[in-house]
Amino acid sequence: MVTTIGRIALSLLQYLGELATLVSETCVSLVVAPIRWRLVLRQIVEVGWRSQMVVVVTGGFTGAVLAAQAYFQFSRLGMKSAVGSMVAVSMFRELAPVLTGLMVSGRVGAAIAAEIGTMKVTEQIDALRSLGVHPTDYLVVPRVLALLFSMPLLVAECCAVSVLAGYVLGVHVLDISAAYYVRNMLLYAGPRDLKMALTKGLVFGIVIVFIACHQGLKTSNGAVGVGRAPTEAVVNGSLAVLILNFFLTFALNMVFPAGV
Amino acid sequence: MISVRQLKKKLGAQEVLRGVDLEIATGETCAIMGRSGCGKSVLLKHFVGLFKPTSGTVWVDGEDITPLPERKLGAIRKKVGMLFQSGALFDSMNVEENIAFPLREAGLRNPKEIRDRVAEALEMVDLAGEQKKMPENLSGGMRKRVGLARTIVGRPACILYDEPTTGLDPIASDSINHLIRRLQKRLSVTSVVVTHDMKTAFHTADRIAFLHEGRIYFHGLPADLRASQDEAIVNFIEGRSGESS
Ligand SMILES: Nc1ncnc2c1ncn2[C@@H]1O[C@H](COP(=O)(O)OP(=O)(O)OP(=O)(O)O)[C@@H](O)[C@H]1O
Ligand SMILES: [Mg+2]
């Protein structure tokens, strides 16, 4: 029992150490190597632009059900007009970053791990190195920059769509007064909530991309390994998002306190 | 050009190389032969720092590359080109982009010059006109030849060939053999050719090294290898497994 716990703790520490190494290598690369903007741009299209569909659907439906549930509860208390602020605050502060993180981890993390993993087992990474190109410069840095840029935008998009969906459902379907809905929303949700959303999004983006790149780069064992890499990237990425979110909520609550 | 001293390499629990000593002079072609799985590819990868030795040193062009960190190896790798056994083409790029990659990395920007150099390299490996194909649509032998074109296009001073003719038809392998010879004669490229193919070895090599049980078992002139009476070598050359039916 004790040895099992010890072993798990050790492998966790080793994993974090490997991630830290990759992060520091990336920082070195950002300083010493020229940035390949064409690759960054291509990755932004790949990870950012093409992720919009999932993020919009996620945001829209979550905003709408949240509005519906809030309405069912609040209407009994005669607080229907609070639905808007409830949707906005919970989406901005928690749900939009977390759900976007999970979706991006599933879509982008998996793709990154699979692509880099395939390159690893087919010796393409060795070929890069043999041509004098550092794999971190060529593969990791463009993806990190692309997610750094895209993730906050995706979270913002998710927020916007969810608030809109909540509004449409609340005002046009559930018959809440539009003026009260908006007034209450603006009263209780503000820029601090958006800042929290964007900060979380940024952190999640960084975590997801490093976990995925690391998983890809350490792939071995042929097709079996390539099959496993995306799964592990998604599982680890999603867990990291959920766990980090917990701590970020408390930390960021001090910086951007909730409520009026 | 390349000098290996007491090179040992452990991969996992397996001791693949157990003290390799090898000198490859500038301008010569050295063939490395040995049974499948005896560590030829692993040895070759040490020459460009793709593997770090467990112990021992590797000197390339008068410099000990063993302690160099990845980023410092770039300069050596510009001088030493490597053809991978699998070709190792970048599968997100077509043939032309693959071959142009080392040129672009070397800072070449002029599109016409790049196009011409790529065409010239493709010509050398008998694949003229295949620029636009994707690697997945090439046969194994074609992939290897594109890999070879990518290796030679940057005109390195030393080229490491990992089984350049395995999987090619006899005519294509003959033309690759001539290409290796030609590169050595005209551009005085130092070459290391890993191969199982007797024809390639005897046609291209000035000297042959025979890797056996993790060490260089024989290193000398092709004629001496042929004349050798040693059992391991004779069995290898004549393709005898020692089994009888
Ligand atoms: N990355 C690696 N990790 C662990 N073991 C490896 C690795 N690469 C090679 N090996 C092992 O090292 C040994 C030598 O492999 P290597 O690829 O050098 O053989 P080879 O002589 O090139 O054979 P072939 O002629 O079939 O290409 C093999 O037993 C192989 O299992
Ligand atoms: Mg091999």
Side-chain angles (χ1 to χ4, degrees):
Chain A
M1 182 66 191
V2 176
T3 52
T4 323
I5 294 175
R7 211 171 312 127
I8 293 174
L10 267 181
S11 64
L12 182 68
L13 271 182
Q14 186 189 351
Y15 181 68
L16 293 178
E18 286 171 14
L19 275 181
T21 313
L22 184 62
V23 173
S24 69
E25 256 173 32
T26 307
C27 296
V28 171
S29 170
L30 280 169
V31 176
V32 303
I35 292 172
R36 294 157 195 267
W37 290 110
R38 273 164 54 119
L39 294 181
V40 176
L41 213 65
R42 196 187 306 160
Q43 288 299 327
I44 287 177
V45 171
E46 196 56 49
V47 307
W49 184 254
R50 300 221 171 109
S51 294
Q52 289 185 92
M53 183 66 192
V54 279
V55 168
V56 164
V57 171
T58 310
F61 279 94
T62 311
V65 286
L66 206 57
Q69 286 295 353
Y71 175 84
F72 300 147
Q73 303 299 322
F74 287 175
S75 60
R76 281 189 279 176
L77 306 169
M79 291 168 49
K80 278 192 275 189
S81 60
V83 167
S85 56
M86 154 82 192
V87 171
V89 171
S90 40
M91 282 308 295
F92 278 48
R93 295 184 80 89
E94 298 293 340
L95 288 171
V98 168
L99 291 176
T100 307
L102 294 177
M103 296 318 275
V104 168
S105 172
R107 192 186 165 280
V108 174
I112 290 177
E115 190 180 358
I116 297 184
T118 307
M119 292 185 72
K120 176 76 190 301
V121 301
T122 54
E123 292 187 310
Q124 291 178 57
I125 294 200
D126 277 348
L128 269 184
R129 294 171 61 204
S130 81
L131 292 166
V133 177
H134 200 294
T136 309
D137 300 356
Y138 194 80
L139 297 172
V140 181
V141 168
R143 287 171 171 80
V144 170
L145 292 180
L147 263 182
L148 220 56
F149 175 80
S150 310
M151 209 36 203
L153 292 180
L154 288 173
V155 171
E157 192 172 16
C158 183
C159 289
V161 173
S162 67
V163 165
L164 202 68
Y167 177 86
V168 169
L169 192 88
V171 172
H172 294 293
V173 181
L174 300 173
D175 255 354
I176 307 172
S177 138
Y180 277 122
Y181 190 101
V182 173
R183 199 188 71 107
N184 260 339
M185 190 167 81
L186 293 180
L187 194 62
Y188 291 102
R192 56 180 185 276
D193 300 312
L194 184 62
K195 281 181 203 153
M196 182 144 173
L198 298 185
T199 314
K200 280 186 171 180
L202 200 68
V203 175
F204 294 161
I206 296 173
V207 169
I208 290 166
V209 72
F210 277 114
I211 286 179
C213 288
H214 167 258
Q215 210 70 45
L217 286 172
K218 77 167 199 184
T219 305
S220 60
N221 195 12
V224 180
V226 174
R228 214 173 282 148
T231 317
E232 288 192 5
V234 172
V235 171
N236 293 351
S238 307
L239 288 179
V241 164
L242 292 172
I243 295 170
L244 262 178
N245 181 56
F246 176 80
F247 292 106
L248 272 178
T249 295
F250 285 100
L252 291 177
N253 226 0
M254 290 186 239
V255 190
F256 312 119
V260 210
Chain B
M1 181 79 189
I2 295 173
S3 156
V4 178
R5 290 178 204 155
Q6 274 306 309
L7 173 62
K8 293 193 178 130
K9 179 68 182 176
K10 253 183 138 166
L11 281 166
Q14 185 191 3
E15 228 185 343
V16 182
L17 302 174
R18 305 179 190 166
V20 172
D21 286 291
L22 187 63
E23 295 279 338
I24 295 160
T26 305
E28 83 164 342
T29 300
C30 175
I32 298 178
M33 309 192 76
R35 305 213 24 203
S36 184
C38 73
K40 303 181 297 294
S41 300
V42 171
L43 177 60
L44 209 59
K45 285 183 182 173
H46 278 90
F47 297 170
V48 278
L50 292 177
F51 274 126
K52 287 260 176 256
T54 310
S55 70
T57 52
V58 179
W59 295 70
V60 177
D61 213 11
E63 190 178 0
D64 182 3
I65 67 164
T66 351
L68 294 184
E70 184 76 17
R71 283 195 190 278
K72 293 252 173 69
L73 285 164
I76 294 290
R77 290 171 177 165
K78 296 257 150 69
K79 284 186 249 176
V80 183
M82 169 144 185
L83 166 66
F84 286 81
Q85 190 166 356
S86 60
L89 300 182
F90 302 124
D91 49 22
S92 58
M93 306 177 192
N94 67 20
V95 168
E96 179 166 33
E97 290 159 342
N98 259 288
I99 301 173
F101 187 88
L103 299 177
R104 296 222 167 89
E105 284 302 319
L108 215 63
R109 285 288 169 271
N110 181 346
K112 180 171 176 339
E113 193 182 351
I114 292 180
R115 223 175 311 124
D116 291 347
R117 296 265 303 260
V118 169
E120 181 196 15
L122 273 175
E123 191 106 28
M124 283 202 229
V125 296
D126 287 331
L127 283 175
E130 305 278 9
Q131 272 91 336
K132 297 295 169 220
K133 281 206 178 138
M134 293 305 283
E136 59 186 12
N137 300 328
L138 298 176
S139 76
M142 287 164 89
R143 245 175 259 164
K144 185 158 275 176
R145 282 183 285 160
V146 174
L148 182 54
R150 185 178 68 187
T151 311
I152 60 180
V153 75
R155 296 178 188 150
C158 174
I159 302 180
L160 314 174
Y161 305 87
D162 197 345
E163 310 203 359
T165 56
T166 312
L168 300 191
D169 65 84
I171 296 172
S173 21
D174 190 55
S175 93
I176 297 291
N177 291 343
H178 280 100
L179 176 65
I180 296 175
R181 240 358 206 181
R182 211 160 58 229
L183 287 170
Q184 188 211 1
K185 287 226 181 78
R186 278 215 224 125
L187 308 170
S188 56
V189 172
T190 311
S191 316
V192 183
V193 186
V194 163
T195 183
H196 301 290
D197 185 345
M198 290 299 152
K199 234 180 132 195
T200 302
F202 288 115
H203 185 101
T204 59
D206 301 313
R207 288 198 298 164
I208 296 181
F210 185 71
L211 188 64
H212 185 60
E213 292 178 340
R215 292 192 185 84
I216 298 295
Y217 192 74
F218 168 93
H219 187 202
L221 299 174
D224 293 339
L225 184 78
R226 257 207 200 111
S228 168
Q229 296 297 318
D230 187 275
E231 203 186 335
I233 294 176
V234 173
N235 285 346
F236 183 82
I237 292 178
E238 300 190 351
R240 279 200 299 248
S241 69
E243 285 173 49
S244 53
S245 54

